Amino acid sequence: MNQQSEPSHYGIGVDTGGTYTDAVLVNLNTLAVIKSAKRPSTHHDLSIGISEALAEVTRDVNVNEIKRIAFSTTLATNAIVEGKGASVGLVVVGHVKSFDLPVVSIRYIKGGHSFTGEEVDQLDIEALVDAINEWKGEMDAYAITSAMSFKNPTHEQVAEEAIKMLDSKPTFCSHRISSKPGMMERAGTAVLHARLMPVISSFVDNLKTFSKKDLNAAKHTMIGGDAEPINFDEAIIRAANTVGSGPAATSWFGAKATDKQSALVVDVGGTSTDVALILNGEPLLSSDGSTIGNWNTHVNAVEMETSGIGGDSLVQIDKDGRILVGPERVQPIATSTGIPDPESWLGKEIRSKCLMAQGNVSENETEENEILQYLRKNGPTSPAELVAQLSMSEFTLERKTRELVFQRQVLESGFTPTDALHALGQLDLGDSGIAKKAAQVLAAACNQDTNDFCEDVLRLAQNKIKNAVLKTVFRKQTGKSLENFFTSDSNDPLLSVSFSLNVPIIGIGAAARLLLPEVSEMLGTEVIFPEHYEVGNALGAIMIASKQGNRK
């Protein structure tokens, strides 16, 4: 690290990811790194991990000299990749084409306007009221999109007021967050804001509880997906704008940390891998909105490809003995506390995870939920055991567990690429012994040698990262989706296709050095690890905030 003597002002960058929370202390005049810290993200209370990382980097510093602090996060991106977030009901006015969006239910009703802003049909208030009465109690938020609402938003405004009279849950109108044509994209943007508001609201609440008190001399900002700082309140209201916050910070750091004018920044996190393109020494911004998950939106962000593969992606064995990796994230067995012997619960399919009640669950919450009751009484348990003991279907258990995980009341642990690295002796962040035992259990289920099984897990993870890189480049080069032409995971006996990159890869993230060298070799290019690559997101966040500060 580059130690600076008595800098006039300090700045701090903080990045909260699905697995780790990173913090860096820099000299604001030179952006030289003075100190960095990496702590586990504490999902039941994110402020714990953040405060621990901040305490480490500010230990020998007068906090009154800290003038700027910038936060980036992959929480919104991870929620989309993992299929998590608030339950949303979507009202579509004046359009009947089927939408494939991450919502619980969609109701199509009459109404809408023309290109000139004239009413096409009267708004069907009766159908709207029926929908909300049916959904009430099942939805966390509502999204509304109406035909040509960017020309005339009247029907969205009336629908919003009608919903407020029936249910107090948040309602998001597409005209307020998108002024562009494209009803599917506007609907997707509204839905994402609705789904992500609880995620970002909880995150911001955590930040406010301590950062203003402990670092009150500093200006606090979050980094948006477009690599611009936004204030806390705006981050909640327009939650989808924080999608890509982490990748934006990473790509900015990657662009400034090397002298390469063109490159691919690949950030390997615990939950996901983000790929962003650098052209002419700058991160490439989306001009027409970004693709988030499988949905096109009008959210302006750094152009990126987010893939549900990372160091903590769940490894499962299907009924035929095939290995599956991701996109779901779990706590690695090697870094889990109080987990039982893997031989007692780990196996194929539904036996891939172990569920544990979190320490912040109250007695009232426990009494009202049969899953929490069982976990409190019997300790960590597999879903297979819960299905048997609670006479509950797998589907019902999965739905209820997803809600408990989202509310940070239950932690899921399972075998991951991180555990494979521990079992192979390539990583030492947790309990390598229990990771190896888990690997032995799963290897036996596949009729494999333990080391061969772990190598296969890593190869599958690396291949998914490679595919994420290829999808990014192919879409930029052709404007098309790679999957429409070729599935690179296939083993077609009649056709073999290979690709090579003409630009280098810039590796970011703690797991990058362990996974990306093989990926770069498969793609016929070099991989570069800049100084401080392990905390590149946090460093990129304060670099962006400092850039804005210098402009003013």
Side-chain angles (χ1 to χ4, degrees):
M1 295 187 182
N2 300 322
Q3 183 72 32
Q4 299 293 309
S5 59
E6 299 182 353
S8 55
H9 293 302
Y10 296 108
I12 298 176
V14 180
D15 177 76
T16 300
T19 304
Y20 289 106
T21 293
D22 300 335
V24 292
L25 178 73
V26 303
N27 178 334
L28 276 180
N29 294 329
T30 64
L31 292 181
V33 174
I34 299 166
K35 198 171 186 181
S36 66
K38 184 180 289 286
R39 295 290 183 272
S41 293
T42 46
H43 288 277
H44 67 282
D45 184 353
L46 291 171
S47 65
I48 296 174
I50 296 172
S51 61
E52 287 179 352
L54 284 172
E56 175 64 24
V57 297
T58 60
R59 180 168 295 145
D60 302 316
V61 174
N62 181 349
V63 293
N64 291 323
E65 293 181 350
I66 298 170
K67 300 303 181 184
R68 187 175 292 272
I69 180 168
F71 297 90
S72 68
T73 180
T74 59
L75 294 178
T77 307
N78 293 344
I80 297 303
V81 170
E82 294 184 88
K84 297 176 181 177
S87 298
V88 177
L90 172 63
V91 176
V92 179
V93 182
H95 189 82
V96 295
K97 184 178 179 181
S98 177
F99 284 174
D100 179 18
L101 289 169
V103 296
V104 175
S105 183
I106 303 177
R107 187 63 58 90
Y108 299 89
I109 66 176
K110 289 183 179 180
H113 293 81
S114 68
F115 277 106
T116 59
E118 297 177 350
E119 186 178 72
V120 175
D121 284 310
Q122 286 188 343
L123 180 65
D124 191 342
I125 291 291
E126 185 176 345
L128 174 65
V129 170
D130 288 343
I132 303 307
N133 283 332
E134 179 183 329
W135 289 343
K136 191 174 180 179
E138 299 295 326
M139 303 299 174
D140 300 315
Y142 300 98
I144 308 170
T145 186
S146 177
M148 296 297 137
S149 63
F150 63 97
K151 290 289 186 180
N152 188 335
T154 302
H155 284 181
E156 286 190 1
Q157 293 168 333
V158 172
E160 181 181 24
E161 291 304 314
I163 291 174
K164 286 180 179 178
M165 295 174 65
L166 298 168
D167 196 350
S168 60
K169 300 294 176 58
T171 302
F172 296 78
C173 295
S174 71
H175 76 272
R176 290 200 174 95
I177 50 183
S178 174
S179 59
K180 301 175 184 177
M183 198 159 178
M184 173 69 86
E185 290 78 6
R186 287 190 290 113
T189 307
V191 166
L192 285 176
H193 278 287
R195 287 196 67 186
L196 294 173
M197 185 178 181
V199 177
I200 299 305
S201 179
S202 175
F203 178 62
V204 168
D205 286 344
N206 275 290
L207 298 182
K208 287 181 175 179
T209 57
F210 69 92
S211 61
K212 284 290 186 181
K213 177 187 68 172
D214 298 337
L215 299 164
N216 54 14
K219 180 178 180 180
H220 294 65
T221 56
M222 278 190 67
I223 303 302
D226 57 357
E228 297 289 338
I230 53 177
N231 64 48
F232 285 171
D233 292 336
E234 182 71 8
I236 295 175
I237 295 171
R238 303 173 71 87
N241 286 9
T242 67
V243 173
S245 170
T250 302
S251 61
W252 191 268
F253 165 73
K256 304 307 175 184
T258 72
D259 58 0
K260 301 294 183 182
Q261 291 298 296
S262 298
L264 284 167
V265 177
V266 181
D267 178 14
V268 184
T271 304
S272 62
T273 293
D274 301 316
V275 184
L277 183 61
I278 294 172
L279 290 179
N280 300 318
E282 298 286 338
L284 191 64
L285 292 179
S286 153
S287 57
D288 298 318
S290 54
T291 299
I292 300 171
N294 296 321
W295 301 280
N296 295 324
T297 75
H298 286 160
V299 176
N300 291 325
V302 169
E303 280 198 10
M304 63 174 179
E305 184 78 38
T306 298
S307 180
I309 183 66
D312 297 347
S313 293
L314 175 64
V315 175
Q316 299 181 76
I317 310 300
D318 71 9
K319 63 181 180 180
D320 298 319
R322 291 176 299 186
I323 305 170
L324 308 174
V325 184
E328 185 179 357
R329 177 204 173 271
V330 293
Q331 184 75 18
I333 291 173
T335 59
S336 298
T337 302
I339 194 167
D341 188 323
E343 290 184 351
S344 68
W345 60 269
L346 187 59
K348 290 184 178 181
E349 299 184 281
I350 194 174
R351 300 185 66 86
S352 64
K353 292 186 288 189
C354 185
L355 308 182
M356 295 174 278
Q358 294 280 63
N360 62 324
V361 182
S362 68
E363 289 187 11
N364 288 338
E365 289 171 324
T366 299
E367 290 176 0
E368 294 172 357
N369 189 289
E370 58 184 328
I371 296 174
L372 288 175
Q373 283 184 29
Y374 190 90
L375 293 177
R376 281 291 192 206
K377 181 179 179 180
N378 299 281
T381 306
S382 75
E385 182 72 13
L386 287 170
V387 166
Q389 295 297 325
L390 301 179
S391 300
M392 187 181 295
S393 71
E394 290 184 26
F395 175 80
T396 301
L397 177 66
E398 182 181 356
R399 178 175 57 82
K400 291 185 175 183
T401 301
R402 187 184 306 120
E403 182 69 18
L404 291 171
V405 172
F406 178 69
Q407 294 173 349
R408 313 303 186 195
Q409 295 177 325
V410 166
L411 178 71
E412 296 178 306
S413 179
F415 195 83
T416 67
T418 294
D419 291 302
L421 289 166
H422 275 84
L424 291 170
Q426 298 179 25
L427 194 61
D428 188 20
L429 296 175
D431 187 342
S432 296
I434 195 170
K436 189 162 188 177
K437 183 173 285 189
Q440 290 168 347
V441 172
L442 292 179
C446 301
N447 296 315
Q448 278 189 289
D449 172 79
T450 302
N451 283 358
D452 289 343
F453 168 76
C454 291
E455 293 286 359
D456 283 348
V457 167
L458 296 180
R459 275 192 290 269
L460 286 169
Q462 289 161 343
N463 201 53
K464 284 198 168 188
I465 295 171
K466 179 198 73 174
N467 290 342
V469 172
L470 288 177
K471 284 194 290 185
T472 302
V473 176
F474 196 85
R475 182 179 288 113
K476 182 59 185 175
Q477 186 75 24
T478 68
K480 309 285 186 181
S481 171
L482 178 63
E483 289 90 337
N484 292 340
F485 295 88
F486 181 72
T487 302
S488 56
D489 279 332
S490 66
N491 294 311
D492 195 314
L494 302 179
L495 179 65
S496 176
V497 178
S498 62
F499 297 89
S500 62
L501 293 181
N502 294 329
V503 294
I505 290 172
I506 299 174
I508 310 292
R513 192 175 285 279
L514 296 170
L515 295 174
L516 288 185
E518 288 80 2
V519 173
S520 65
E521 185 175 340
M522 285 188 278
L523 293 171
T525 189
E526 67 172 326
V527 60
I528 301 167
F529 297 102
E531 188 178 12
H532 309 300
Y533 75 93
E534 306 95 329
V535 291
N537 292 37
L539 187 48
I542 189 61
M543 290 169 71
I544 291 172
S546 299
K547 169 196 68 171
Q548 295 294 320
N550 291 337
R551 285 179 181 172
K552 299 173 185 177

